[in-house]
Amino acid sequence: MDNLKLLSESLIEKLSGSGAYKRGVDYYQHGLIKSLHINPKGKISAEVIGSKIYHVHLHHTSTLFEGHCNCPASDNFDFCKHCVAVALSYYHQIHAGTITSSDDNKIRAYVESLPQSQLVDAMLEMINDNSLLHERWLLKVQLLSETLTPAALKKRITKAIPYKKNLWDYRQVGYYFSEVEMALQQYIPIIEKLPQNQALKLFEYTLSRLNKALEGIDDSVGYRYATEELLTNCFQTIFDKDTWIDKDKGKYLAKTILKQDEAYGFLDLSGHHLEVLNKAARQAFFTQVEKTWETTTRPTNSNDWGVYWPFINVQKLMIKKSQLAGDFHQELSLRALSVFNLNDCLYLSQLCLKQKHLSEALHWQKQAEQYNDKRPHDEDNLLSNQISIWHYQKDYSNIVLSQWHRYQQNYHLPYLQALFDVIERTTLNNNYYQQAQTLLQTELTKATSAQNLIYYRTKLVELYLYGSQIDQALLACKQGEIEIHTLLEVIDLYSHDARVLPLVEQAVSNQIGQTNNESYKEAIALLKKIKGRLDKKSQSIFEDMVLRLLQNNKQKRNFVAWLKEAFTFISLDQESH
């Protein structure tokens, strides 16, 4: 129960509205809540007696408290009077500390002292009061009496995963999948105990049912993931049964993967499940794959998806076979069948380099260079790959020259850093840092537009920071505007020094100028951080700056209110005036 969002009666009223809250209070006071269940993950469920029995589900975590009900007023969406009644019951239990392990122990001791007949009566009362519990026990009875056939289970799965149209509200989607999950938690253990063929058929039906249901549901939040995890574990249990014949196990896995059914996508069939096959099952698997490979059409380009993707999916399995056999040349031959552009060539060049096959890496680099109509990023990718080859050949002179050329194009600091990393390993001349400063200072003197001035000054400050020339960086910042991310970096390095305050004022003004609450909060957080680092002598300068910011931004009411809340000296200063 620790670290949960603070819960209060006022919050419950806010969620429901005053009308529903008052009616919910009546339900709570009249004891109309039945079978309140609380699990450690913050999920609370209960039944409430109204015109009929309604099912309520609440969710309580460190960041939220929400709920829904299956009554018409809630429609699995709103926080209705039934939600209020359950929330109040839950709130008063945790507020009174009634949910404790010591109480559990006391109840256990009492229950163990009761005669069997009394326990049976009490248990039947609990089962009949909770529809979910009733369903679980009915399943157990039918299983023991052998009346729960696969056909009966299939009907229950159909009911558990209903098809919906245009279900998009995240609360309704969350409720839908919580119901699906609870139902499958009951059925999956029973499915897993069935003979292998029956278990697989029911599993496949469940998977197809879920996939079809998702066509009408917008689950961009990912509420289905818990259900998918249940099904993943279920498949693992069925697949690991020792009743398989090795050959059949391999064939089944191959056929399932080759179906390319998107419903199986989250199961990672070609990963773990393939790797754990024994030798005989793996041989049967790849025999099936090879048969399919022989009849698969090779695409002539990557644009015809109807041909390209089926080919790629079978190709991946053939590549897997080569990798498991440790045959890199066979893998390379297979990959070469789907090379259609410059980046495909570069990928193979990099792959060859990792495998220490230099001649093949050079071959694919040359193949990439032959493509026409290269875009700027293509040229950059080509050079990056060439630099990787030079690294392998220890051709450091060419690397340094290329990285320096790159840096001169846009003064992107990582290129210069890469250059210095190479120079550290060699005896090559190292005057590039001074050259970079000279180039940027020259660009600054030539710049005419405000945009170019900001760009080149920012690049110069970045260079100073990289070279640990902090004073020069600070001076450059004072000479004109720079980009905010670099300005904040300088402020962070100098936050203990009053000399940085003009830069702080510039940064805060920039953030306030974005005129949104998030930026206001970021600006105030920066001010609080600076204030905490300054010495006592600098505090008065800081306070003058804050008062100036207040004066210049009076029209921004939220900023002003939060600023006054953050710094008590503001109200004192205003009173003195």
Side-chain angles (χ1 to χ4, degrees):
M1 295 296 174
D2 296 334
N3 301 321
L4 294 176
K5 180 180 177 66
L6 186 62
L7 185 59
S8 65
E9 292 182 353
S10 60
L11 174 63
I12 297 170
E13 183 173 6
K14 185 177 179 181
L15 287 169
S16 62
S18 58
Y21 180 75
K22 289 176 182 176
R23 293 190 292 275
V25 170
D26 288 339
Y27 274 67
Y28 167 67
Q29 291 176 343
H30 285 86
L32 299 178
I33 299 93
K34 299 176 64 180
S35 58
L36 180 70
H37 294 280
I38 303 163
N39 79 9
K41 294 182 179 180
K43 292 183 178 180
I44 302 103
S45 61
E47 293 178 339
V48 180
I49 303 171
S51 55
K52 63 177 188 176
I53 301 294
Y54 292 111
H55 301 281
V56 172
H57 296 272
L58 307 179
H59 195 197
H60 192 192
T61 70
S62 59
T63 58
L64 63 81
F65 182 76
E66 61 184 9
H68 48 75
C69 172
N70 66 340
C71 74
S74 173
D75 192 25
N76 295 323
F77 182 82
D78 287 325
F79 205 90
C80 64
K81 61 187 177 183
H82 306 113
C83 293
V84 170
V86 176
L88 288 170
S89 179
Y90 168 67
Y91 166 70
H92 286 296
Q93 282 198 46
I94 59 173
H95 189 67
T98 57
I99 304 173
T100 65
S101 58
S102 60
D103 285 349
D104 286 345
N105 292 334
K106 290 175 184 176
I107 292 170
R108 181 182 183 87
Y110 171 70
V111 169
E112 288 176 345
S113 70
L114 295 175
Q116 183 178 351
S117 59
Q118 194 171 343
L119 280 173
V120 170
D121 290 341
M123 195 167 180
L124 283 172
E125 185 179 352
M126 288 174 61
I127 291 170
N128 290 327
D129 279 349
N130 186 304
S131 58
L132 189 59
L133 202 57
H134 188 274
E135 173 73 3
R136 286 178 181 172
W137 280 93
L138 185 59
L139 282 171
K140 292 179 180 182
V141 170
Q142 291 177 333
L143 192 61
L144 285 172
S145 62
E146 299 182 352
T147 59
L148 188 61
T149 62
L153 262 176
K154 186 176 180 180
K155 287 181 180 179
R156 290 175 184 272
I157 291 166
T158 303
K159 184 179 178 182
I161 311 176
Y163 294 154
K164 300 284 185 180
K165 287 186 178 180
N166 302 320
L167 191 63
W168 55 267
D169 183 270
Y170 75 95
R171 286 170 289 189
Q172 291 179 323
V173 173
Y175 176 78
Y176 175 88
F177 281 107
S178 69
E179 292 286 292
V180 170
E181 183 185 353
M182 283 192 290
L184 291 183
Q185 282 174 339
Q186 300 174 70
Y187 305 145
I188 282 176
I190 300 170
I191 292 172
E192 291 172 347
K193 291 177 182 177
L194 292 172
Q196 171 194 309
N197 289 340
Q198 293 178 356
L200 279 173
K201 285 179 181 178
L202 280 172
F203 171 80
E204 290 168 355
Y205 177 73
T206 305
L207 209 58
S208 64
R209 184 88 190 169
L210 179 64
N211 193 54
K212 181 69 175 176
L214 281 167
E215 292 177 7
I217 300 172
D218 177 8
D219 185 30
S220 50
V221 175
Y223 288 112
R224 70 189 182 280
Y225 294 155
T227 300
E228 289 181 349
E229 185 178 353
L230 279 175
L231 291 170
T232 299
N233 294 334
C234 175
F235 182 80
Q236 185 70 59
T237 301
I238 298 170
F239 194 69
D240 288 346
K241 282 177 178 283
D242 57 12
T243 53
W244 282 94
I245 297 172
D246 290 338
K247 184 172 68 173
D248 292 343
K249 191 172 190 177
K251 278 185 178 180
Y252 174 81
L253 186 62
K255 287 179 179 178
T256 304
I257 295 172
L258 292 168
K259 279 194 299 188
Q260 299 173 27
D261 189 336
E262 62 182 20
Y264 290 78
F266 65 87
L267 289 174
D268 186 30
L269 295 179
S270 58
H272 169 76
H273 295 93
L274 171 57
E275 290 170 3
V276 298
L277 292 179
N278 64 24
K279 185 177 179 180
R282 188 178 291 180
Q283 185 175 352
F285 175 89
F286 284 118
T287 299
Q288 191 70 38
V289 171
E290 286 167 348
K291 286 180 181 178
T292 305
W293 177 247
E294 290 169 2
T295 59
T296 300
T297 304
R298 181 188 172 188
T300 55
N301 59 67
S302 58
N303 298 321
D304 186 356
W305 283 27
V307 176
Y308 179 76
W309 284 113
F311 175 85
I312 292 296
N313 285 326
V314 185
Q315 181 197 42
K316 285 179 181 177
L317 297 176
M318 292 297 293
I319 289 171
K320 188 76 173 179
K321 180 175 182 286
S322 301
Q323 290 173 336
L324 290 169
D327 190 342
F328 177 71
H329 287 290
Q330 178 64 24
E331 177 187 345
L332 192 59
S333 298
L334 287 165
R335 290 187 184 277
L337 297 174
S338 58
V339 171
F340 298 115
N341 56 51
L342 178 147
N343 286 321
D344 290 339
C345 293
L346 293 181
Y347 174 78
L348 289 190
S349 182
Q350 281 290 312
L351 194 65
C352 291
L353 211 54
K354 288 177 183 177
Q355 295 292 327
K356 299 182 180 181
H357 292 281
L358 178 61
S359 59
E360 286 93 339
L362 289 167
H363 166 76
W364 288 108
Q365 170 73 10
K366 289 178 182 177
Q367 291 293 110
E369 290 169 355
Q370 291 173 13
Y371 280 89
N372 298 320
D373 302 322
K374 299 182 188 73
R375 292 162 293 184
H377 72 270
D378 291 328
E379 296 286 1
D380 197 57
N381 290 339
L382 273 168
L383 182 54
S384 293
N385 193 69
Q386 181 61 65
I387 288 171
S388 296
I389 292 172
W390 284 332
H391 267 290
Y392 185 85
Q393 296 173 314
K394 298 183 179 179
D395 186 351
Y396 299 127
S397 295
N398 270 324
I399 295 173
V400 168
L401 290 173
S402 296
Q403 296 291 27
W404 178 242
H405 175 74
R406 272 178 153 181
Y407 179 72
Q408 289 175 293
Q409 303 305 307
N410 56 17
Y411 302 104
H412 190 41
L413 187 60
Y415 295 143
L416 198 62
Q417 290 171 318
L419 182 154
F420 290 133
D421 287 344
V422 172
I423 286 177
E424 284 178 3
R425 299 183 234 163
T426 68
T427 57
L428 294 172
N429 181 37
N430 184 11
N431 64 347
Y432 289 101
Y433 184 82
Q434 187 57 50
Q435 287 185 57
Q437 283 188 54
T438 303
L439 282 172
L440 283 167
Q441 287 163 351
T442 302
E443 295 284 11
L444 265 174
T445 58
K446 293 191 300 183
T448 54
S449 70
Q451 184 178 1
N452 283 345
L453 281 167
I454 293 169
Y455 181 80
Y456 291 122
R457 187 175 291 110
T458 299
K459 294 300 178 185
L460 184 59
V461 171
E462 287 177 354
L463 184 64
Y464 285 144
L465 293 176
Y466 175 69
S468 300
Q469 293 182 281
I470 309 300
D471 287 342
Q472 288 88 334
L474 184 61
L475 180 62
C477 289
K478 290 182 177 179
Q479 289 172 348
E481 188 178 349
I482 68 169
E483 292 171 10
I484 185 66
H485 62 90
T486 305
L487 179 61
L488 290 173
E489 190 177 347
V490 175
I491 288 170
D492 191 56
L493 289 169
Y494 251 94
S495 57
H496 61 284
D497 193 324
R499 288 183 297 166
V500 83
L501 289 178
L503 303 185
V504 174
E505 188 167 359
Q506 179 186 334
V508 169
S509 297
N510 183 299
Q511 289 170 316
I512 297 169
Q514 295 179 43
T515 62
N516 64 72
N517 288 340
E518 194 62 35
S519 297
Y520 296 160
K521 290 175 182 178
E522 288 174 3
I524 292 168
L526 175 60
L527 290 171
K528 290 168 74 174
K529 177 181 177 181
I530 298 299
K531 186 179 188 305
R533 292 187 179 182
L534 291 172
D535 57 31
K536 289 183 179 180
K537 293 179 181 178
S538 305
Q539 292 295 330
S540 60
I541 304 173
F542 174 83
E543 291 177 6
D544 289 341
M545 178 191 69
V546 171
L547 292 170
R548 192 161 52 250
L549 287 166
L550 178 68
Q551 185 67 29
N552 294 339
N553 296 282
K554 281 184 174 180
Q555 72 279 17
K556 297 178 174 63
R557 290 181 294 177
N558 284 353
F559 172 73
V560 169
W562 291 331
L563 192 68
K564 288 179 178 179
E565 185 181 306
F567 301 108
T568 55
F569 66 79
I570 293 176
S571 57
L572 293 173
D573 180 85
Q574 290 176 336
E575 287 174 10
S576 66
H577 288 79

